[in-house]
Amino acid sequence: PADKKQFLGNSRIPTIIKKRQSKKMEFLQYLSEGNVVTFFLLLLRMSGLVVFFPFFSQMQVPVVIKSSFSFVLTIFLLPFTPVVSTGLSLEYLVLESISELLFGLAAGAMLSICFAALSLAGEQISMVMGFSMANVMDPQTGVQSPLISNALTLIVLTAFLIADGHHIILQFMAKSVSLLELGSFYPSQNIWSYASKSVVNMFLFGFITSFPILALSLMSDFIFGMLMKTMPQFNLLVVGFPIKIIVAFGVLIATIAAIVKLFVVLLTRVLNDLPFLFF
């Protein structure tokens, strides 16, 4: 009986070897030229979107985490990606790689303009309040920005996450695989015109956001000027600036909900326009 069991165990060895060889052949067949090029271009697209999209492009997030996340997205989306035609030369491969990086840059710039508009409003508010010299590190861009601008950016970034903006971005990444062929992106006239209008709206949105504080600051300066004319002993530096800071903080607290609501509406509109612009 022991010899019989040994014989039966040995008889299964050729079958196991054949299965392993067949799996190796399937894996080697999967590593064809078209699949490798498809994986490379898809990895560039996911990397470009992760690098340039808000929240995913946080400077405080390590590069290892970003690259790992791009690699995982590529693995998940590769089965749904059409295979790129083989026989491409090195020049065409370089151009398609640039096209994929440009796609991530263009798509991320549309959303970054919204955050830049709020940052512009924060800079104007900081200048009025006298906080223009109080700069801190902005986690979104990695550069020095005024204190109020950084606070507004963090608040709207939290609202962006609450509104499932990061999930919408992931859905946009998944749809781009099936609706836009790899290496075929080219910035059309619609994208350029939309970007130019977005830049104009950025300054308009920044002015509208900071207008209540700017108006009250101008009114307080007018009142302080009248007081200095009637009361020369009135010290504007000692009394005027603290009052302006208190008034600005009060108006900012009263209007922060409206600012976040307006920002979410603007961001939702841009997210809804992205598929029509790029697909």
PDB file of all heavy atoms in Angstrom, residues 20-38 78 83 86:
ATOM      1  N   ARG A  20       1.843  23.830 -14.830  1.00  0.00           N
ATOM      2  CA  ARG A  20       2.743  24.950 -14.573  1.00  0.00           C
ATOM      3  C   ARG A  20       3.343  25.488 -15.860  1.00  0.00           C
ATOM      4  O   ARG A  20       3.471  26.701 -16.052  1.00  0.00           O
ATOM      5  CB  ARG A  20       3.852  24.520 -13.620  1.00  0.00           C
ATOM      6  CG  ARG A  20       3.367  24.260 -12.187  1.00  0.00           C
ATOM      7  CD  ARG A  20       4.513  23.841 -11.281  1.00  0.00           C
ATOM      8  NE  ARG A  20       4.057  23.632  -9.910  1.00  0.00           N
ATOM      9  CZ  ARG A  20       4.852  23.219  -8.918  1.00  0.00           C
ATOM     10  NH1 ARG A  20       6.150  22.977  -9.161  1.00  0.00           N
ATOM     11  NH2 ARG A  20       4.355  23.048  -7.713  1.00  0.00           N
ATOM     12  N   GLN A  21       3.707  24.587 -16.768  1.00  0.00           N
ATOM     13  CA  GLN A  21       4.252  25.031 -18.039  1.00  0.00           C
ATOM     14  C   GLN A  21       3.219  25.788 -18.864  1.00  0.00           C
ATOM     15  O   GLN A  21       3.535  26.789 -19.520  1.00  0.00           O
ATOM     16  CB  GLN A  21       4.784  23.821 -18.822  1.00  0.00           C
ATOM     17  CG  GLN A  21       6.046  23.212 -18.230  1.00  0.00           C
ATOM     18  CD  GLN A  21       6.512  22.002 -19.003  1.00  0.00           C
ATOM     19  OE1 GLN A  21       5.814  21.522 -19.905  1.00  0.00           O
ATOM     20  NE2 GLN A  21       7.695  21.502 -18.662  1.00  0.00           N
ATOM     21  N   SER A  22       1.965  25.332 -18.816  1.00  0.00           N
ATOM     22  CA  SER A  22       0.918  26.035 -19.553  1.00  0.00           C
ATOM     23  C   SER A  22       0.670  27.424 -18.971  1.00  0.00           C
ATOM     24  O   SER A  22       0.461  28.397 -19.711  1.00  0.00           O
ATOM     25  CB  SER A  22      -0.376  25.218 -19.529  1.00  0.00           C
ATOM     26  OG  SER A  22      -0.845  25.058 -18.187  1.00  0.00           O
ATOM     27  N   LYS A  23       0.731  27.550 -17.633  1.00  0.00           N
ATOM     28  CA  LYS A  23       0.558  28.861 -17.009  1.00  0.00           C
ATOM     29  C   LYS A  23       1.712  29.800 -17.369  1.00  0.00           C
ATOM     30  O   LYS A  23       1.509  30.985 -17.621  1.00  0.00           O
ATOM     31  CB  LYS A  23       0.464  28.709 -15.492  1.00  0.00           C
ATOM     32  CG  LYS A  23      -0.833  28.054 -15.019  1.00  0.00           C
ATOM     33  CD  LYS A  23      -0.872  27.961 -13.500  1.00  0.00           C
ATOM     34  CE  LYS A  23      -2.178  27.319 -13.040  1.00  0.00           C
ATOM     35  NZ  LYS A  23      -2.242  27.195 -11.560  1.00  0.00           N
ATOM     36  N   LYS A  24       2.922  29.233 -17.425  1.00  0.00           N
ATOM     37  CA  LYS A  24       4.063  30.054 -17.826  1.00  0.00           C
ATOM     38  C   LYS A  24       3.927  30.514 -19.263  1.00  0.00           C
ATOM     39  O   LYS A  24       4.236  31.661 -19.604  1.00  0.00           O
ATOM     40  CB  LYS A  24       5.363  29.263 -17.639  1.00  0.00           C
ATOM     41  CG  LYS A  24       5.756  29.047 -16.185  1.00  0.00           C
ATOM     42  CD  LYS A  24       7.062  28.290 -16.093  1.00  0.00           C
ATOM     43  CE  LYS A  24       7.468  28.066 -14.627  1.00  0.00           C
ATOM     44  NZ  LYS A  24       8.746  27.306 -14.529  1.00  0.00           N
ATOM     45  N   MET A  25       3.443  29.633 -20.136  1.00  0.00           N
ATOM     46  CA  MET A  25       3.256  30.009 -21.527  1.00  0.00           C
ATOM     47  C   MET A  25       2.189  31.092 -21.663  1.00  0.00           C
ATOM     48  O   MET A  25       2.335  32.036 -22.457  1.00  0.00           O
ATOM     49  CB  MET A  25       2.868  28.781 -22.349  1.00  0.00           C
ATOM     50  CG  MET A  25       3.985  27.749 -22.487  1.00  0.00           C
ATOM     51  SD  MET A  25       5.452  28.436 -23.316  1.00  0.00           S
ATOM     52  CE  MET A  25       4.755  28.786 -24.922  1.00  0.00           C
ATOM     53  N   GLU A  26       1.105  30.992 -20.888  1.00  0.00           N
ATOM     54  CA  GLU A  26       0.079  32.021 -20.912  1.00  0.00           C
ATOM     55  C   GLU A  26       0.624  33.355 -20.420  1.00  0.00           C
ATOM     56  O   GLU A  26       0.309  34.415 -20.974  1.00  0.00           O
ATOM     57  CB  GLU A  26      -1.108  31.590 -20.048  1.00  0.00           C
ATOM     58  CG  GLU A  26      -1.900  30.420 -20.624  1.00  0.00           C
ATOM     59  CD  GLU A  26      -3.028  30.008 -19.699  1.00  0.00           C
ATOM     60  OE1 GLU A  26      -3.150  30.638 -18.614  1.00  0.00           O
ATOM     61  OE2 GLU A  26      -3.768  29.079 -20.038  1.00  0.00           O
ATOM     62  N   PHE A  27       1.438  33.331 -19.367  1.00  0.00           N
ATOM     63  CA  PHE A  27       2.021  34.564 -18.850  1.00  0.00           C
ATOM     64  C   PHE A  27       2.986  35.182 -19.857  1.00  0.00           C
ATOM     65  O   PHE A  27       2.997  36.405 -20.053  1.00  0.00           O
ATOM     66  CB  PHE A  27       2.736  34.278 -17.529  1.00  0.00           C
ATOM     67  CG  PHE A  27       3.360  35.496 -16.905  1.00  0.00           C
ATOM     68  CD1 PHE A  27       2.576  36.450 -16.290  1.00  0.00           C
ATOM     69  CD2 PHE A  27       4.738  35.679 -16.933  1.00  0.00           C
ATOM     70  CE1 PHE A  27       3.139  37.581 -15.714  1.00  0.00           C
ATOM     71  CE2 PHE A  27       5.302  36.800 -16.363  1.00  0.00           C
ATOM     72  CZ  PHE A  27       4.503  37.754 -15.746  1.00  0.00           C
ATOM     73  N   LEU A  28       3.779  34.352 -20.518  1.00  0.00           N
ATOM     74  CA  LEU A  28       4.709  34.869 -21.525  1.00  0.00           C
ATOM     75  C   LEU A  28       3.967  35.414 -22.734  1.00  0.00           C
ATOM     76  O   LEU A  28       4.390  36.417 -23.332  1.00  0.00           O
ATOM     77  CB  LEU A  28       5.684  33.755 -21.946  1.00  0.00           C
ATOM     78  CG  LEU A  28       6.687  33.303 -20.876  1.00  0.00           C
ATOM     79  CD1 LEU A  28       7.530  32.139 -21.393  1.00  0.00           C
ATOM     80  CD2 LEU A  28       7.587  34.453 -20.438  1.00  0.00           C
ATOM     81  N   GLN A  29       2.864  34.756 -23.119  1.00  0.00           N
ATOM     82  CA  GLN A  29       2.067  35.281 -24.215  1.00  0.00           C
ATOM     83  C   GLN A  29       1.403  36.605 -23.847  1.00  0.00           C
ATOM     84  O   GLN A  29       1.191  37.462 -24.711  1.00  0.00           O
ATOM     85  CB  GLN A  29       0.999  34.257 -24.613  1.00  0.00           C
ATOM     86  CG  GLN A  29       1.559  33.014 -25.293  1.00  0.00           C
ATOM     87  CD  GLN A  29       0.482  31.988 -25.583  1.00  0.00           C
ATOM     88  OE1 GLN A  29      -0.690  32.212 -25.273  1.00  0.00           O
ATOM     89  NE2 GLN A  29       0.864  30.872 -26.188  1.00  0.00           N
ATOM     90  N   TYR A  30       1.090  36.774 -22.567  1.00  0.00           N
ATOM     91  CA  TYR A  30       0.485  38.024 -22.128  1.00  0.00           C
ATOM     92  C   TYR A  30       1.488  39.169 -22.183  1.00  0.00           C
ATOM     93  O   TYR A  30       1.101  40.334 -22.347  1.00  0.00           O
ATOM     94  CB  TYR A  30      -0.048  37.868 -20.708  1.00  0.00           C
ATOM     95  CG  TYR A  30      -0.896  39.021 -20.249  1.00  0.00           C
ATOM     96  CD1 TYR A  30      -2.199  39.180 -20.714  1.00  0.00           C
ATOM     97  CD2 TYR A  30      -0.391  39.960 -19.351  1.00  0.00           C
ATOM     98  CE1 TYR A  30      -2.977  40.237 -20.300  1.00  0.00           C
ATOM     99  CE2 TYR A  30      -1.168  41.022 -18.922  1.00  0.00           C
ATOM    100  CZ  TYR A  30      -2.461  41.156 -19.399  1.00  0.00           C
ATOM    101  OH  TYR A  30      -3.231  42.209 -18.993  1.00  0.00           O
ATOM    102  N   LEU A  31       2.782  38.858 -22.051  1.00  0.00           N
ATOM    103  CA  LEU A  31       3.826  39.890 -22.105  1.00  0.00           C
ATOM    104  C   LEU A  31       4.218  40.162 -23.552  1.00  0.00           C
ATOM    105  O   LEU A  31       5.399  40.156 -23.906  1.00  0.00           O
ATOM    106  CB  LEU A  31       5.050  39.455 -21.294  1.00  0.00           C
ATOM    107  CG  LEU A  31       4.861  39.339 -19.783  1.00  0.00           C
ATOM    108  CD1 LEU A  31       6.132  38.851 -19.126  1.00  0.00           C
ATOM    109  CD2 LEU A  31       4.439  40.678 -19.185  1.00  0.00           C
ATOM    110  N   SER A  32       3.236  40.430 -24.368  1.00  0.00           N
ATOM    111  CA  SER A  32       3.513  40.773 -25.760  1.00  0.00           C
ATOM    112  C   SER A  32       3.864  42.252 -25.867  1.00  0.00           C
ATOM    113  O   SER A  32       3.768  43.015 -24.899  1.00  0.00           O
ATOM    114  CB  SER A  32       2.297  40.450 -26.637  1.00  0.00           C
ATOM    115  OG  SER A  32       1.172  41.196 -26.214  1.00  0.00           O
ATOM    116  N   GLU A  33       4.253  42.649 -27.052  1.00  0.00           N
ATOM    117  CA  GLU A  33       4.677  44.041 -27.248  1.00  0.00           C
ATOM    118  C   GLU A  33       3.512  45.012 -27.039  1.00  0.00           C
ATOM    119  O   GLU A  33       3.663  46.060 -26.406  1.00  0.00           O
ATOM    120  CB  GLU A  33       5.242  44.208 -28.650  1.00  0.00           C
ATOM    121  CG  GLU A  33       5.758  45.616 -28.939  1.00  0.00           C
ATOM    122  CD  GLU A  33       6.319  45.732 -30.339  1.00  0.00           C
ATOM    123  OE1 GLU A  33       6.382  44.708 -31.046  1.00  0.00           O
ATOM    124  OE2 GLU A  33       6.697  46.857 -30.721  1.00  0.00           O
ATOM    125  N   GLY A  34       2.328  44.648 -27.543  1.00  0.00           N
ATOM    126  CA  GLY A  34       1.172  45.529 -27.383  1.00  0.00           C
ATOM    127  C   GLY A  34       0.755  45.686 -25.939  1.00  0.00           C
ATOM    128  O   GLY A  34       0.424  46.789 -25.488  1.00  0.00           O
ATOM    129  N   ASN A  35       0.777  44.598 -25.173  1.00  0.00           N
ATOM    130  CA  ASN A  35       0.391  44.680 -23.764  1.00  0.00           C
ATOM    131  C   ASN A  35       1.389  45.487 -22.945  1.00  0.00           C
ATOM    132  O   ASN A  35       1.010  46.228 -22.034  1.00  0.00           O
ATOM    133  CB  ASN A  35       0.257  43.280 -23.178  1.00  0.00           C
ATOM    134  CG  ASN A  35      -0.932  42.532 -23.729  1.00  0.00           C
ATOM    135  OD1 ASN A  35      -1.947  43.132 -24.084  1.00  0.00           O
ATOM    136  ND2 ASN A  35      -0.823  41.216 -23.824  1.00  0.00           N
ATOM    137  N   VAL A  36       2.666  45.341 -23.261  1.00  0.00           N
ATOM    138  CA  VAL A  36       3.687  46.098 -22.528  1.00  0.00           C
ATOM    139  C   VAL A  36       3.559  47.590 -22.806  1.00  0.00           C
ATOM    140  O   VAL A  36       3.613  48.431 -21.886  1.00  0.00           O
ATOM    141  CB  VAL A  36       5.088  45.579 -22.895  1.00  0.00           C
ATOM    142  CG1 VAL A  36       6.162  46.481 -22.291  1.00  0.00           C
ATOM    143  CG2 VAL A  36       5.281  44.155 -22.397  1.00  0.00           C
ATOM    144  N   VAL A  37       3.355  47.953 -24.070  1.00  0.00           N
ATOM    145  CA  VAL A  37       3.182  49.368 -24.420  1.00  0.00           C
ATOM    146  C   VAL A  37       1.912  49.929 -23.794  1.00  0.00           C
ATOM    147  O   VAL A  37       1.887  51.063 -23.298  1.00  0.00           O
ATOM    148  CB  VAL A  37       3.169  49.530 -25.950  1.00  0.00           C
ATOM    149  CG1 VAL A  37       2.831  50.968 -26.337  1.00  0.00           C
ATOM    150  CG2 VAL A  37       4.514  49.145 -26.535  1.00  0.00           C
ATOM    151  N   THR A  38       0.846  49.141 -23.776  1.00  0.00           N
ATOM    152  CA  THR A  38      -0.409  49.569 -23.151  1.00  0.00           C
ATOM    153  C   THR A  38      -0.222  49.816 -21.658  1.00  0.00           C
ATOM    154  O   THR A  38      -0.698  50.822 -21.114  1.00  0.00           O
ATOM    155  CB  THR A  38      -1.496  48.516 -23.375  1.00  0.00           C
ATOM    156  OG1 THR A  38      -1.664  48.298 -24.783  1.00  0.00           O
ATOM    157  CG2 THR A  38      -2.818  48.962 -22.781  1.00  0.00           C
ATOM    158  N   LEU A  78      -6.052  47.975 -16.212  1.00  0.00           N
ATOM    159  CA  LEU A  78      -5.437  47.364 -17.400  1.00  0.00           C
ATOM    160  C   LEU A  78      -6.377  46.388 -18.122  1.00  0.00           C
ATOM    161  O   LEU A  78      -6.421  46.392 -19.363  1.00  0.00           O
ATOM    162  CB  LEU A  78      -4.138  46.667 -17.003  1.00  0.00           C
ATOM    163  CG  LEU A  78      -3.319  46.070 -18.149  1.00  0.00           C
ATOM    164  CD1 LEU A  78      -2.895  47.156 -19.136  1.00  0.00           C
ATOM    165  CD2 LEU A  78      -2.087  45.338 -17.614  1.00  0.00           C
ATOM    166  N   VAL A  83      -5.992  47.388 -26.135  1.00  0.00           N
ATOM    167  CA  VAL A  83      -4.564  47.180 -26.397  1.00  0.00           C
ATOM    168  C   VAL A  83      -4.118  48.116 -27.509  1.00  0.00           C
ATOM    169  O   VAL A  83      -4.790  48.253 -28.534  1.00  0.00           O
ATOM    170  CB  VAL A  83      -4.288  45.716 -26.770  1.00  0.00           C
ATOM    171  CG1 VAL A  83      -2.799  45.508 -27.046  1.00  0.00           C
ATOM    172  CG2 VAL A  83      -4.750  44.800 -25.651  1.00  0.00           C
ATOM    173  N   THR A  86       0.547  47.421 -32.126  1.00  0.00           N
ATOM    174  CA  THR A  86       1.996  47.218 -32.095  1.00  0.00           C
ATOM    175  C   THR A  86       2.650  47.796 -33.344  1.00  0.00           C
ATOM    176  O   THR A  86       1.990  48.300 -34.243  1.00  0.00           O
ATOM    177  CB  THR A  86       2.308  45.722 -31.982  1.00  0.00           C
ATOM    178  OG1 THR A  86       1.686  45.043 -33.095  1.00  0.00           O
ATOM    179  CG2 THR A  86       1.758  45.156 -30.690  1.00  0.00           C
TER     180      THR A  86
END
